[in-house]
Amino acid sequence: MLDLMTAEFNFDASSTAPSKEELLARVAEGDQSAFGELYDQIAPRVLGLVKRVLIDHAQSEEVTQEIFLEIWQTASRYESQRGGASTWIMTMAHRRAIDRIRSSQAGRDRDTKIGIRDLAVPYDHVAETVEVKIEHERVAKAMSRLTELQRQAVSLSYFSGYSHREVADHLHIPLGTVKTRLRDGLIRLRDELGVGS
Amino acid sequence: MSGTDKPDNDLAGNGSTDNPADLAGAYALHALSADEAAEYERYLTWSEEARVEAAELSDTAVALSLSVAPVQPSSGLKASLMAQLATTPQLAPLTTAADSVKPAGSAAPTDAPPAATPFGSASSRVAEAAPASSDDKGSAAGQGSAGEKGSAGNQGSAAERAQRRWFQRPAGYLVAAAAAAALFVGGTFAGQALYGDPSQDFAQVQAASLAEINAAPDSQRASTQTLEGQDATLVWSGELGLSAIIVDDLPALGDDQDYQLWYIGSSGPVSAGTFDSDGSGTAWRVLDGTMSAGDAVGVTVEPAGGSEQPTTDPIVAIQS
């Protein structure tokens, strides 16, 4: 079910480079150079996502370090039949970023920074590669098919790291409504992005 | 605008009348508390349909991450990670089908660290024990090549000139491109528990020291390039009096030569150990001895085992 995404994720890797799945299998056997290669391939993606959530660069590098140590420690638990290596890693990355945010100090620091951030420019302006632009447009298009309310709830939780209770508080709506919006919103995105089959 | 939205008429929902299936979206977005997530996972164990939905929505969340612009990590991050691998145990592969049902996080780490050495496996030989003795042939060859380099006398690039005979100048001249960024990388390190264990080998001491420098509250770094254009980073802590140098793609030297590190302060260069590179990836070495405020750090190519004073021009010099 993940073939599509995996293919896109590897879009930026040269065809001769070993796949992330192969590298992860070697990492599970203690291969440090494979770990280095995997890091080179995906660390900017991981840091990009973590920084999108945490805002603070130094803290994001710290969390990225924790994520890669977890990859090293748990590579043997990755099951390729359950999805691509990138999916496994990015899911772990997002969860780690959220864990950090839920620690109260990090949350307070972040709230200050979020206050400063221009919310109208949600993407870091580093040089965007072609594939990032393509993905960005694809996701933006899919997001545009959500209702404004769904989009708001999904963005607040995925990119800003709000829990569903915080989303409810923030938007002054009942928790049950938030649950529905998040689920319906993701289902719509799934269908628009062609995830699953 | 809300034409395709389910009318929000289930607003009565206040979180208590739960259908656990409603949590699918929040679960995929990591928007549940630990207790709520555990509750949802219990529900997943008995619903195949829910498991499929959970997997698909989780993949959908990952698709959102693809739209975020990548951000290049600092070069020290990779070196710090690589340094910790040798002392970070890995989970053993799961062998039975029964085991694979366990969530990944619940298994205990194996306690056998893999036998591995950091890149640039360092030599702890010191300069005083240098040439003459065991390796006359190697030393002679080393001196020969050092002589050639020293007497070449070409003008070279500005960068080359700037680094030439760096050890005879006041440290202040070396500043060049050393843009110091007070960048704090790292915080909690898995390797810390190893401190003070007398049985640990050199690689572990090195890895622990590098982690310690990175984690120090006053950790700082400065970057420049070697004569060959490789990125070189010095990371140091004044409080600890420690520094480490990290060089990308540093070529491996032959058996008859080593890279030698120098602290250069007001009283001239002091050897800070030798190392070699394995020629692939990032080479790094925590310097021996104590760093003083304002010291510069230089790297020369010396005969195997090191020299008492630099005999060649530095391939790189960085001002702290």
Side-chain angles (χ1 to χ4, degrees), chain A residues 5 14 37 45 49 57 65 78 116 128 138 166 177:
Chain A
M5 271 177 50
S14 94
E37 249 184 279
R45 285 282 196 192
L49 176 62
H57 186 86
Q65 173 158 283
Y78 165 69
I116 303 165
E128 290 202 345
R138 216 167 75 89
E166 288 169 331
T177 308

Side-chain angles (χ1 to χ4, degrees), chain B residues 8 16 50 137 144 156 202 218 243:
Chain B
D8 279 346
S16 54
K137 211 167 130 193
F202 185 71
D218 70 333
S243 72

Side-chain angles (χ1 to χ4, degrees), chain B residues 7-316:
Chain B
D8 279 346
N9 58 4
D10 45 0
L11 324 162
N14 54 15
S16 54
T17 60
D18 296 329
N19 175 358
D22 290 343
L23 292 175
Y27 178 78
L29 295 162
H30 298 131
L32 296 180
S33 69
D35 287 347
E36 291 163 337
E39 179 195 329
Y40 184 70
E41 281 166 1
R42 274 194 299 279
Y43 165 68
L44 288 184
T45 59
W46 56 267
S47 169
E48 168 67 19
E49 192 188 357
R51 282 197 295 276
V52 171
E53 182 182 8
E56 287 180 354
L57 295 192
S58 177
D59 295 344
T60 303
V62 169
L64 293 179
S65 77
L66 295 180
S67 68
V68 179
V71 175
Q72 197 61 43
S74 66
S75 64
L77 181 61
K78 183 177 181 186
S80 175
L81 269 169
M82 299 307 294
Q84 291 176 75
L85 296 188
T87 54
T88 305
Q90 293 184 285
L91 297 182
L94 294 171
T95 47
T96 68
D99 277 344
S100 69
V101 174
K102 272 194 254 171
S106 70
T110 60
D111 50 14
T117 53
F119 285 153
S121 56
S123 159
S124 56
R125 290 169 296 185
V126 289
E128 297 87 288
S133 61
S134 64
D135 197 1
D136 287 339
K137 211 167 130 193
S139 295
Q143 300 286 15
S145 92
E148 279 161 33
K149 284 182 193 172
S151 62
N154 60 19
Q155 291 306 300
S157 67
E160 225 171 325
R161 285 197 303 277
Q163 290 181 92
R164 189 168 302 272
R165 296 295 158 203
W166 55 283
F167 47 83
Q168 293 171 352
R169 294 181 192 155
Y173 281 86
L174 298 172
V175 177
L183 187 61
F184 172 55
V185 179
T188 50
F189 286 89
Q192 275 177 343
L194 295 161
Y195 293 161
D197 176 355
S199 70
Q200 61 194 346
D201 65 12
F202 185 71
Q204 287 185 325
V205 176
Q206 284 273 310
S209 296
L210 179 57
E212 194 181 11
I213 295 167
N214 266 316
D218 70 333
S219 181
Q220 284 188 279
R221 59 185 60 228
S223 295
T224 185
Q225 289 195 325
T226 67
L227 290 177
E228 306 287 327
Q230 296 104 350
D231 289 330
T233 300
L234 181 71
V235 46
W236 73 93
S237 158
E239 273 177 30
L240 297 172
L242 289 174
S243 72
I245 191 154
I246 299 151
V247 188
D248 290 341
D249 303 320
L250 188 66
L253 296 173
D255 288 343
D256 56 345
Q257 290 183 314
D258 277 332
Y259 291 105
Q260 188 165 7
L261 292 155
W262 306 92
Y263 275 131
I264 170 73
S266 50
S267 56
V270 177
S271 174
T274 60
F275 70 108
D276 199 356
S277 168
D278 68 3
S280 66
T282 304
W284 60 274
R285 168 78 148 92
V286 176
L287 278 68
D288 294 342
T290 304
M291 180 186 213
S292 304
D295 275 359
V297 166
V299 182
T300 60
V301 176
E302 299 292 336
S307 306
E308 287 188 34
Q309 289 291 304
T311 63
T312 63
D313 291 331
I315 58 164
V316 65

Side-chain angles (χ1 to χ4, degrees), chain A residues 2 27 73 77 94 165 181, chain B residues 8 30 36 59 90 92:
Chain A
L2 291 170
V27 169
Q73 290 176 299
R77 297 300 192 269
H94 189 258
R165 288 176 196 283
R181 285 184 189 167
Chain B
D8 279 346
H30 298 131
E36 291 163 337
D59 295 344
Q90 293 184 285

Side-chain angles (χ1 to χ4, degrees), chain A residues 142-143 145-146 150 154 179-196, chain B residues 4 6 21-26 28-29 40 49-50 52-54 56-61 64:
Chain A
M143 286 287 263
R145 309 303 290 269
L146 304 191
Q150 289 170 340
V154 168
K179 290 178 187 173
T180 307
R181 285 184 189 167
L182 292 179
R183 187 185 186 192
D184 291 350
L186 272 191
I187 288 171
R188 171 57 63 88
L189 281 175
R190 176 195 68 191
D191 297 344
E192 291 291 333
L193 291 167
V195 178
Chain B
T4 59
K6 274 190 187 171
D22 290 343
L23 292 175
L29 295 162
Y40 184 70
E49 192 188 357
V52 171
E53 182 182 8
E56 287 180 354
L57 295 192
S58 177
D59 295 344
T60 303
L64 293 179

